[in-house]
Amino acid sequence: MKKIMALAMSIMLGISAIGCSSDKIDDSEIVMSVDGIEINAGTYKKTLELFKQSIEAMYGPEVWDQEVEKGVKYRNKFKDLILTQTIETEAVYATVKANNMLPSKEEIDNAFKDLKASIEKDEEYKKNLESIGVDDAFLREQQEKELAWQKYKENFDKTTVISEQEVQKYYDENKETFYRDEVKASHILISTLDDKEKELPKDKKEEAKKKAEDILKRARAGEEFSVLAKEYSQDPASVTNGGDLGYFKKGQMVKEFEDAAFSTKVGEISDIVESKFGYHIIKVTDRVDEQTTVEDNKDYIKETLLESKYVEQIKKLGENAKVEKNQELLDKIKL
């Protein structure tokens, strides 16, 4: 669920319009106030529609019937999630305003100008926005709220201290995640798939295998592996790097490839390995099998703890905000 909402938080561009069913509702009616900031039905409906479209663009319309809790479908949860996010957004804005950190008119003007330029490049999207009543005033307000949120985050990051004790505690509690078991390898792929990703006929596969066996002999005879890879490998992602795949953990490659890579000694070349992609020749160039230290991971741990504290702080602002809801009106606004 966090993943779904995180995707919806991105800039709401490139989405087709699908409105909410909210007949017989006066858009000027107030659906709620947050720390004295009033939100009318029109603004709330537009917000719902834009986030709804963002979700559908990523997951398709079938997402609404997915069960997220026992007996609760996502469509029923969605409004609550957006309502919570709206409350948190307004609570952050109120906090930024109270601390005299609001974005300047120039900052808002520049952000709005950039947003409008993006919209103007997509005529279809521009029409979609107009069809659901998203005007310049709404877009400008969203930009102001977004900038206020950014300023809050910047100030939070600057003023929040992560102690050495906190770092050590996190490391001790998650030590297994900092164990590094990785292989660095290069490979040459002789594909057994055609241009449409369909498997080649038997005779063509046999030709591919024979080609791979010949290349393996040359590699083991001392020819430069990277040169052979650049000449023969059919893996577009690694061929320009001489077949170099960098470091990878278990679970990142197909099983046949992974098993061979992790069982081949550093400096050695594997036998022919067949996977659904074709025939691989793998050369292992390094292996890391160690417990990394807290010092190795200090920056990552600090970033993780800072983000966790930030999320908790935003949640706290929303929970502590003075919220007044017109629940009857909110219930009338349907997806």
Side-chain angles (χ1 to χ4, degrees), residues 110-291:
N110 290 335
F112 178 68
K113 182 180 177 181
D114 290 342
L115 178 60
K116 285 289 287 183
S118 297
I119 293 172
E120 290 297 330
K121 293 177 182 178
D122 191 335
E123 190 63 33
E124 182 180 355
Y125 179 61
K126 181 181 177 182
K127 290 179 180 178
N128 287 337
L129 289 180
E130 292 171 353
S131 73
I132 58 175
V134 172
D135 55 15
D136 284 357
F138 178 87
L139 291 172
R140 187 180 177 84
E141 181 181 3
Q142 299 310 304
Q143 287 298 286
E144 182 177 1
K145 297 289 172 65
E146 175 66 22
L147 287 172
W149 196 301
Q150 289 175 15
K151 285 182 176 292
Y152 183 85
K153 179 66 163 64
E154 289 168 4
N155 184 68
F156 183 89
D157 289 351
K158 185 170 63 176
T159 58
T160 302
V161 176
I162 307 296
S163 70
E164 294 298 316
Q165 290 79 8
E166 288 176 296
V167 171
Q168 186 65 54
K169 183 174 183 291
Y170 184 90
Y171 175 82
D172 292 340
E173 292 176 349
N174 299 276
K175 202 167 184 178
E176 69 281 356
T177 66
F178 299 113
Y179 186 84
R180 190 178 175 199
D181 185 11
E182 298 178 5
V183 161
K184 186 174 189 288
S186 297
H187 84 138
I188 297 169
L189 170 67
I190 305 302
S191 178
T192 55
L193 303 177
D194 62 20
D195 293 339
K196 296 181 179 180
E197 301 297 308
K198 297 288 183 66
E199 188 173 342
L200 295 174
K202 185 177 179 180
D203 61 329
K204 295 295 182 181
K205 283 189 66 176
E206 289 175 353
E207 289 179 15
K209 187 173 183 180
K210 178 63 168 60
K211 183 177 181 180
E213 289 171 342
D214 291 341
I215 296 170
L216 175 60
K217 288 178 183 178
R218 292 171 61 181
R220 285 181 169 171
E223 289 193 45
E224 181 61 40
F225 195 90
S226 62
V227 173
L228 291 171
K230 287 180 179 179
E231 183 175 354
Y232 296 108
S233 182
Q234 294 172 295
D235 174 19
S238 67
V239 64
T240 56
N241 297 324
D244 186 11
L245 297 167
Y247 288 94
F248 52 89
K249 302 176 183 179
K250 289 182 178 180
Q252 290 184 262
M253 302 293 183
V254 291
K255 188 176 187 314
E256 301 90 346
F257 190 99
E258 176 187 291
D259 289 346
F262 277 86
S263 61
T264 300
K265 294 180 180 179
V266 175
E268 293 188 353
I269 299 172
S270 72
D271 292 330
I272 301 295
V273 178
E274 183 178 3
S275 78
K276 62 182 180 180
F277 301 107
Y279 297 109
H280 307 263
I281 303 166
I282 306 167
K283 181 175 182 178
V284 174
T285 53
D286 194 16
R287 176 74 184 269
V288 179
D289 186 6
E290 64 179 9
Q291 177 68 50

Side-chain angles (χ1 to χ4, degrees), residues 24-74:
K24 300 179 182 179
I25 293 177
D26 184 347
D27 284 351
S28 66
E29 288 189 76
I30 303 302
V31 294
M32 66 177 166
S33 68
V34 182
D35 288 332
I37 301 171
E38 293 185 333
I39 301 161
N40 63 36
T43 297
Y44 183 62
K45 285 193 294 182
K46 291 169 191 172
T47 303
L48 267 179
E49 289 165 0
L50 287 169
F51 277 92
K52 176 177 184 285
Q53 294 158 28
S54 296
I55 295 298
E56 287 194 355
M58 285 295 189
Y59 298 97
E62 63 275 7
V63 68
W64 306 111
D65 291 321
Q66 290 182 13
E67 195 172 76
V68 293
E69 297 173 12
K70 189 171 183 179
V72 180
K73 291 184 178 179
Y74 183 54

